[in-house]
């Protein structure tokens, strides 16, 4: 019978060499972008987030480039130098210590696989634990990916159609190690001499990203199977271990671990990488988005106490950024200095009015002494635009000074004991952004500890502070060497520059250089002055005057210690630090129009970032209208029930009225009474639809964890929540 002849009617499709890859799919524009792409706030948000993503990609590349290069070179060494026949059934394996941050593992292994495909081989299989519950599934997934991944990734210029058709005919349930060996020999071993010169043998890499989630017996059998083929197949393992190397040795007994040549590559821990992301991208003057102290503390606490996921932290910051920008053209001012005037000109009257309603505008208005100025700020939009431009520029100067001073404070406190203000820049930023840190007792104690530092240690700290200042000045303008130090060396009456920004930081640099020179040249010798002489003592040494003699002797033993030159300079240096930090570390909420740049609305994002699944589940089952937004489920009170509610919601409401043990028959009767109030009990018992709906609702509640079957009574279930 021909292929187009059929007993029944049918439609027969002929491809005629049609290739799906030839179709160019049109780029579907995001609905959100389609609606708001012309809005000023969305353009600013999109541009700023693209900048942050590029910075994150560059930092990720710098952080993991050395680790990935070492792993790739190690794997590549076996494909180039080692002959599989000399391995004696030992499998080369790479163990990557990924840490417990599960959401970040995907990006790590994706970067590793891309680098392996570019530099080593395209035969890579990544098998997750949920895809391999048994040895059969593990072998099938690994072999199928190794065979079909070659055709999908590699550019086969000289491949004939017979081989490609043979590959396509292999189904997943037919993938075994014998099939893999036959395929590999046909590709690299049993080929013509001309083709053999063009193609070299490539390694087969099997990646197991979640080692702890696998069944240890399944992995043991899989390793033993691979070890029997390693003499003819160049297979390399890559294990992703989240805890420690000891997990690998606990899962594999000696007869299995002896088949593995293990090389361990530790990756950066999550807190270290998180500190790099925050300090290099978000806690900088160049960052287009800033978090208030409490919002920043919330996000870091979620990271430290929940999942250790840097990806989750970045997505939380993105959500805060979306909440900050959404629907407010005023947030378009979160831009560089060069664009402020153009953006202010494009603001409408309503936008200017929303700026006037900011909480930080009131103190600024009350500080104005001239009544006409106050009137113009409200009535004259052009005058208000000029004032707005001026204040935004001042805010830029403040942010530049604030972040520099935070890093200076971190450099000053790095070696102090107890770490009263924190070890890292992010901890110090949190304290400085919440309150005026110079008024706290911890800051005063830190200044006292600096007043006890030695001359050598103080010189070293000042040099570290100068490095931070030079790095900060390079962001604004390249640092030029000073021609000569100032001629005045009397630093007791130093007055800081009233302006913040670059000039303020340059002034700090000049003063620190003066202190550095004075501390290096200061003498540490102290002078001792006695308070009495021997002549005075002898003159009073007369009979009957014993008490006066005792007082004179005590005065003679007392000495007045005069401060050395170094101690005097050190005291002035500490006083200068207090004055400088008091000016540069004022919290952001004290600045005018800080709401434009700093996100502080924690309550609006906390319920989305820190989810409460039990509360959301209770709300959905008790009041489904909250999520469904339908009129049929409206309730007069939270305890009432109507027949239009979903079955699982109705069953949930009825089960809350019961005690620890629930009689299923009574529960069914109450369920039917709500659904069919006009029918009698006999009609409800004979209605099979009520039984089906009730059974399904009970099964759903059991799946959600609200009830479980009871062993004491067969016709009862046990309630689990209260």
């Amino acid at each position: 019978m021909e292929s187009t002849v059929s007993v029944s009617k049918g439609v027969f499709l002929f491809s005629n060499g049609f290739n799906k890859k030839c179709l160019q799919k049109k780029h579907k524009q995001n609905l959100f972008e389609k609606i708001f792409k012309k809005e000023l706030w969305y353009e600013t948000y999109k541009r700023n987030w693209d900048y942050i993503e590029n910075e994150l990609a560059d930092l990720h590349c710098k952080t993991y480039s050395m680790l990935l290069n070492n792993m790739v070179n190690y794997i590549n060494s076996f494909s180039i130098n080692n002959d599989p026949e000399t391995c004696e059934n030992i499998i080369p394996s790479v163990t990557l210590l990924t840490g417990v941050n599960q959401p970040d593992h995907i990006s790590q292994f994706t970067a590793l696989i891309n680098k392996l495909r570019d530099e080593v081989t395209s035969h890579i299989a990544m098998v997750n634990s949920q895809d391999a519950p048994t040895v059969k599934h593990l072998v099938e997934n690994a072999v199928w990916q190794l065979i079909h991944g070659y055709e999908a990734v590699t550019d086969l210029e000289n491949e004939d159609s017979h081989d490609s058709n043979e590959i396509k005919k292999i189904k997943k349930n037919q993938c075994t190690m014998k099939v893999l060996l036959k395929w590999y020999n046909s590709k690299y071993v049993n080929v013509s001499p001309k083709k053999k010169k063009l193609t070299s043998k490539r390694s087969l890499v099997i990646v197991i990203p979640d080692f702890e989630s696998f069944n240890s017996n399944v992995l043991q059998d899989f390793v033993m199977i691979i070890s029997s083929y390693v003499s003819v197949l160049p297979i390399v393992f890559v294990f992703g271990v989240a805890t420690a190397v000891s997990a690998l040795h606990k899962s594999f007994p000696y007869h299995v671990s002896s088949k593995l040549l293990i090389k361990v590559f530790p990756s950066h821990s999550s807190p270290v990488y998180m500190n790099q992301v925050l300090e290099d991208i978000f806690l900088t003057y160049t960052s287009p988005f800033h978090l208030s102290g409490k919002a920043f503390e919330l996000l870091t606490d979620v990271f430290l106490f929940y999942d250790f996921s840097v990806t989750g932290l970045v997505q939380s910051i993105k959500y805060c950024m979306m909440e900050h920008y959404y629907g407010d053209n005023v947030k378009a001012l979160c831009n560089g200095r060069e664009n402020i005037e153009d953006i202010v000109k494009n603001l409408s009257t309503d936008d200017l009015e929303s700026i006037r309603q900011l909480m930080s505008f009131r103190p600024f208005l009350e500080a104005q002494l001239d009544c006409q100025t106050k009137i113009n700020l409200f009535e004259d939009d052009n005058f208000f635009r000029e004032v707005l431009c001026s204040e935004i520029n001042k805010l830029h100067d403040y942010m530049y000074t604030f972040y520099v001073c935070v890093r200076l404070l971190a450099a000053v406190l790095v070696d102090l004991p107890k770490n009263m203000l924190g070890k890292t820049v992010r901890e110090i930023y949190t304290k400085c952004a919440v309150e005026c840190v110079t008024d706290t007792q911890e800051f005063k104690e830190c200044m006292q500890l600096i007043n006890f530092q030695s001359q050598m240690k103080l010189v070293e700290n000042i040099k570290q502070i100068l490095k931070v200042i030079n790095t900060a000045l390079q962001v604004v303008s390249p640092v030029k060497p000073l021609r000569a130090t100032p001629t005045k060396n009397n630093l007791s009456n130093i007055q800081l520059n009233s302006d913040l920004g670059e000039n303020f930081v340059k002034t700090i640099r000049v003063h620190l250089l003066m202190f550095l020179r004075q501390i290096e040249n200061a003498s540490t010798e102290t002078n001792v002055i006695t308070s009495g002489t021997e002549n005075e003592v002898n003159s009073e040494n007369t009979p009957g005057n014993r008490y006066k003699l005792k007082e004179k002797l005590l005065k003679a033993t007392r000495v007045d210690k005069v401060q050395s030159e170094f101690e005097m300079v050190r005291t002035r240096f500490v006083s200068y630090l207090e004055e400088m930090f008091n000016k540069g570390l004022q919290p952001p909420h004290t600045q005018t129009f800080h709401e434009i740049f700093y996100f502080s609305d924690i309550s609006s994002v906390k319920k989305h970032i820190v989810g409460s699944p039990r509360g959301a589940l209770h709300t959905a089952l008790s009041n489904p209208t909250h999520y469904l937004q339908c009129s049929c489920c409206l309730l007069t009170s939270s305890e009432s029930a109507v027949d239009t509610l979903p079955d699982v919601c109705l069953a949930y409401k009825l089960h809350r009225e019961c005690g620890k043990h629930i009689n299923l028959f009574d529960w069914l009767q109450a369920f039917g009474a709500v659904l069919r109030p006009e029918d009698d009990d006999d009609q409800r018992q004979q209605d099979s639809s009520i039984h089906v709906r009730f059974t399904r609702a009970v099964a759903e509640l059991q799946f959600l964890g609200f009830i479980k079957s009871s062993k004491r009574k067969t016709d009862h279930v046990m309630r689990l929540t209260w």
Side-chain angles (χ1 to χ4, degrees):
M1 184 179 291
E2 296 181 1
S3 59
T4 57
V5 177
S6 175
V7 177
S8 60
K9 295 181 180 180
V11 178
F12 303 95
L13 177 65
F14 298 92
S15 60
N16 292 330
F18 176 74
N19 189 3
K20 293 182 179 179
K21 296 180 181 180
C22 297
L23 281 176
Q24 295 181 353
K25 295 183 179 180
K26 294 183 180 180
H27 176 67
K28 293 185 178 179
Q29 195 175 17
N30 187 9
L31 179 61
F32 190 82
E33 184 177 356
K34 186 177 180 181
I35 297 174
F36 299 110
K37 66 177 181 179
K38 294 182 180 179
E39 297 288 341
L40 184 60
W41 63 267
Y42 183 76
E43 293 177 358
T44 308
Y45 160 75
K46 187 69 175 175
R47 180 171 58 254
N48 291 343
W49 182 250
D50 290 342
Y51 168 80
I52 292 175
E53 280 191 327
N54 294 333
E55 292 292 324
L56 287 171
D58 294 341
L59 180 62
H60 188 274
C61 182
K62 293 177 184 178
T63 305
Y64 291 101
S65 59
M66 185 178 295
L67 175 65
L68 294 179
N69 288 333
N70 293 336
M71 294 177 64
V72 169
N73 293 336
Y74 179 76
I75 296 174
N76 199 20
S77 63
F78 289 97
S79 62
I80 296 175
N81 301 327
N82 294 11
D83 189 2
E85 297 180 357
T86 62
C87 291
E88 298 180 356
N89 297 336
I90 296 178
I91 311 169
S93 61
V94 173
T95 301
L96 176 61
L97 299 180
T98 56
V100 296
N101 48 332
Q102 294 288 341
D104 295 342
H105 292 176
I106 298 174
S107 60
Q108 292 183 18
F109 284 104
T110 301
L112 175 62
I113 290 174
N114 292 334
K115 197 167 186 64
L116 286 173
R117 282 174 173 170
D118 294 337
E119 300 183 12
V120 181
T121 178
S122 58
H123 308 304
I124 303 171
M126 186 169 71
V127 186
N128 295 303
S129 57
Q130 62 267 24
D131 299 330
T134 61
V135 181
K136 179 177 179 294
H137 291 92
L138 181 56
V139 172
E140 288 178 354
N141 280 285
V143 173
W144 191 85
Q145 290 186 46
L146 289 173
I147 294 176
H148 291 269
Y150 176 79
E151 184 188 8
V153 176
T154 309
D155 188 10
L156 300 175
E157 296 178 353
N158 300 320
E159 183 185 14
D160 51 0
S161 60
H162 176 72
D163 293 338
S164 62
N165 292 332
E166 184 179 355
I167 292 174
K168 291 179 181 179
K169 288 180 181 178
I170 299 176
K171 297 181 180 180
K172 205 167 192 177
N173 57 3
Q174 298 174 342
C175 292
T176 60
M177 294 303 299
K178 292 183 179 179
V179 174
L180 179 64
L181 177 61
K182 181 180 178 182
W183 169 82
Y184 188 83
N185 290 334
S186 64
K187 289 294 178 185
Y188 296 108
V189 181
N190 302 328
V191 294
S192 60
K194 292 183 179 179
K195 208 171 185 181
K196 199 168 187 179
K197 292 180 180 180
L198 298 175
T199 59
S200 58
K201 290 185 178 180
R202 298 187 181 185
S203 300
L204 305 176
V205 181
I206 300 176
V207 181
I208 298 177
D210 48 348
F211 178 82
E212 287 88 350
S213 301
F214 272 88
N215 188 347
S216 58
N217 295 326
V218 172
L219 283 179
Q220 291 175 20
D221 296 340
F222 184 65
V223 170
M224 297 304 294
I225 293 171
I226 297 298
S227 64
S228 62
Y229 284 90
V230 75
S231 59
V232 290
L233 289 173
I235 297 178
V236 180
F237 275 135
V238 177
F239 296 113
V241 179
T243 53
V245 188
S246 58
L248 198 69
H249 299 289
K250 289 179 182 178
S251 300
F252 291 153
Y254 176 75
H255 72 279
V256 178
S257 60
S258 60
K259 302 294 183 182
L260 298 172
L261 182 62
I262 301 175
K263 177 72 173 178
V264 181
F265 292 90
S267 62
H268 297 281
S269 62
S270 295
V272 173
Y273 183 50
M274 184 263 289
N275 289 334
Q276 290 180 351
V277 169
L278 294 178
E279 294 175 11
D280 296 346
I281 297 177
F282 293 102
L283 298 183
T284 59
Y285 162 71
T286 56
S287 175
F289 179 69
H290 306 274
L291 291 167
S292 65
K294 293 184 178 179
F296 188 82
E297 187 177 9
L298 170 67
L299 298 185
T300 51
D301 287 347
V302 170
F303 172 87
L304 294 173
F305 296 111
Y306 280 81
D307 55 1
F308 279 97
S309 172
V310 180
T311 303
L313 176 65
V314 172
Q315 294 302 315
S316 299
I317 295 176
K318 183 179 180 181
Y319 186 83
C320 293
M321 193 171 175
M322 294 169 63
E323 184 73 20
H324 184 65
Y325 280 86
Y326 179 74
D328 191 359
N329 288 331
V330 175
K331 300 306 187 296
L333 292 171
C334 298
N335 221 310
R337 294 174 181 265
E338 63 279 1
N339 301 325
I340 290 177
E341 293 185 3
D342 296 334
I343 296 173
V344 170
K345 290 179 182 178
N346 294 329
L347 293 178
S348 63
T349 305
D350 295 337
D351 297 333
L352 296 178
E353 186 62 31
S354 63
I355 296 176
R356 292 188 181 101
Q357 294 176 2
L358 295 177
M359 295 297 295
S360 61
F361 178 67
R362 182 175 179 179
F364 172 76
L365 184 67
E366 293 175 351
Q368 305 299 321
L369 300 178
D370 188 10
C371 296
Q372 186 61 37
T373 304
K374 296 181 180 180
I375 296 173
N376 292 336
L377 286 173
F378 276 103
E379 296 181 354
D380 191 351
D381 288 346
N382 294 329
F383 177 75
F384 184 73
R385 284 189 171 93
E386 294 178 1
V387 174
L388 181 61
C389 290
S390 176
E391 292 300 320
I392 294 297
N393 283 318
K394 289 182 181 179
L395 194 56
H396 274 280
D397 291 336
Y398 160 78
M399 290 189 295
Y400 175 75
T401 305
F402 180 78
Y403 284 113
V404 172
C405 289
V406 167
R407 294 178 184 274
L408 292 181
L409 184 59
V412 170
L413 306 179
V414 65
D415 293 326
L416 294 183
K418 298 183 181 179
N419 297 314
M420 288 175 283
L421 290 177
K423 295 181 180 179
T424 60
V425 174
R426 64 172 177 83
E427 293 175 344
I428 296 175
Y429 171 81
T430 304
K431 292 184 178 296
C432 295
V434 172
E435 59 182 346
C436 186
V437 71
T438 55
D439 295 336
T440 60
Q441 186 63 29
E442 293 85 357
F443 179 82
K444 296 176 181 178
E445 292 179 3
C446 290
M447 292 297 108
Q448 291 178 358
L449 291 175
I450 295 174
N451 216 0
F452 290 108
Q453 286 186 340
S454 64
Q455 186 176 10
M456 185 182 302
K457 186 63 180 176
L458 209 56
V459 169
E460 183 182 348
N461 286 348
I462 294 177
K463 289 181 179 179
Q464 292 296 327
I465 295 171
L466 287 172
K467 288 182 180 179
V468 175
I469 291 178
N470 292 335
T471 304
L473 287 175
Q474 287 175 357
V475 177
V476 181
S477 62
V479 177
K480 299 178 181 179
L482 296 176
R483 296 182 181 178
T485 54
T487 56
K488 294 183 179 180
N489 293 327
N490 186 12
L491 302 177
S492 58
N493 297 323
I494 289 179
Q495 292 183 357
L496 295 175
N497 193 345
S498 59
D499 296 331
L500 297 177
E502 184 182 1
N503 294 330
F504 181 80
V505 177
K506 287 182 177 179
T507 306
I508 297 174
R509 180 169 175 260
V510 172
H511 293 156
L512 289 178
L513 287 172
M514 295 168 60
F515 276 116
L516 178 62
R517 189 187 66 178
Q518 281 203 344
I519 292 175
E520 288 177 339
N521 299 330
S523 174
T524 57
E525 295 181 358
T526 58
N527 298 324
V528 178
I529 302 175
T530 60
S531 61
T533 61
E534 294 183 1
N535 295 329
E536 293 177 354
V537 176
N538 294 330
S539 64
E540 298 292 337
N541 192 6
T542 56
N545 210 0
R546 187 178 299 173
Y547 292 106
K548 291 183 179 180
L549 176 62
K550 183 178 179 181
E551 291 178 1
K552 292 295 182 182
L553 290 174
L554 289 174
K555 289 181 180 179
T557 57
R558 293 173 186 171
V559 293
D560 294 333
K561 187 177 179 181
V562 180
Q563 283 187 334
S564 65
E565 183 183 358
F566 163 69
E567 291 174 343
M568 295 173 64
V569 176
R570 183 177 61 186
T571 303
R572 291 199 299 268
F573 173 69
V574 173
S575 300
Y576 173 75
L577 288 180
E578 292 177 352
E579 188 179 356
M580 180 261 293
F581 286 132
N582 187 35
K583 186 174 182 60
L585 287 180
Q586 292 297 319
H589 59 79
T590 60
Q591 304 300 312
T592 307
F593 301 136
H594 67 89
E595 298 94 341
I596 298 175
F597 287 87
Y598 286 86
F599 175 78
S600 57
D601 190 6
I602 308 173
S603 58
S604 62
V605 298
K606 186 175 181 180
K607 60 182 179 181
H608 300 288
I609 295 176
V610 186
S612 54
R614 290 190 63 180
L617 199 59
H618 172 75
T619 303
L621 295 176
S622 300
N623 185 22
T625 313
H626 181 76
Y627 293 104
L628 297 178
Q629 298 295 323
C630 59
S631 58
C632 59
C633 299
L634 287 175
L635 301 175
T636 56
S637 64
S638 59
E639 291 80 12
S640 61
V642 294
D643 57 346
T644 55
L645 287 174
D647 294 339
V648 64
C649 298
L650 180 58
Y652 176 77
K653 280 180 169 292
L654 294 174
H655 109 284
R656 291 184 60 195
E657 300 175 359
C658 303
K660 184 177 180 181
H661 291 85
I662 306 174
N663 190 316
L664 285 174
F665 181 78
D666 296 341
W667 196 3
L668 173 61
Q669 291 293 99
F671 185 81
V674 176
L675 291 181
R676 304 285 175 82
E678 66 279 356
D679 297 344
D680 55 10
D681 294 342
D682 295 336
Q683 291 178 344
R684 297 193 200 105
Q685 291 179 5
Q686 295 176 1
D687 192 350
S688 59
S689 63
I690 296 179
H691 295 176
V692 172
R693 293 171 64 178
F694 176 74
T695 304
R696 182 176 180 178
V698 170
E700 289 177 352
L701 289 178
Q702 184 177 3
F703 177 75
L704 293 173
F706 288 102
I707 58 173
K708 72 173 184 178
S709 58
S710 176
K711 295 181 180 179
R712 295 175 60 184
K713 298 179 180 179
T714 56
D715 59 341
H716 284 64
V717 293
M718 186 179 296
R719 183 178 174 183
L720 300 178
T721 59
W722 302 91

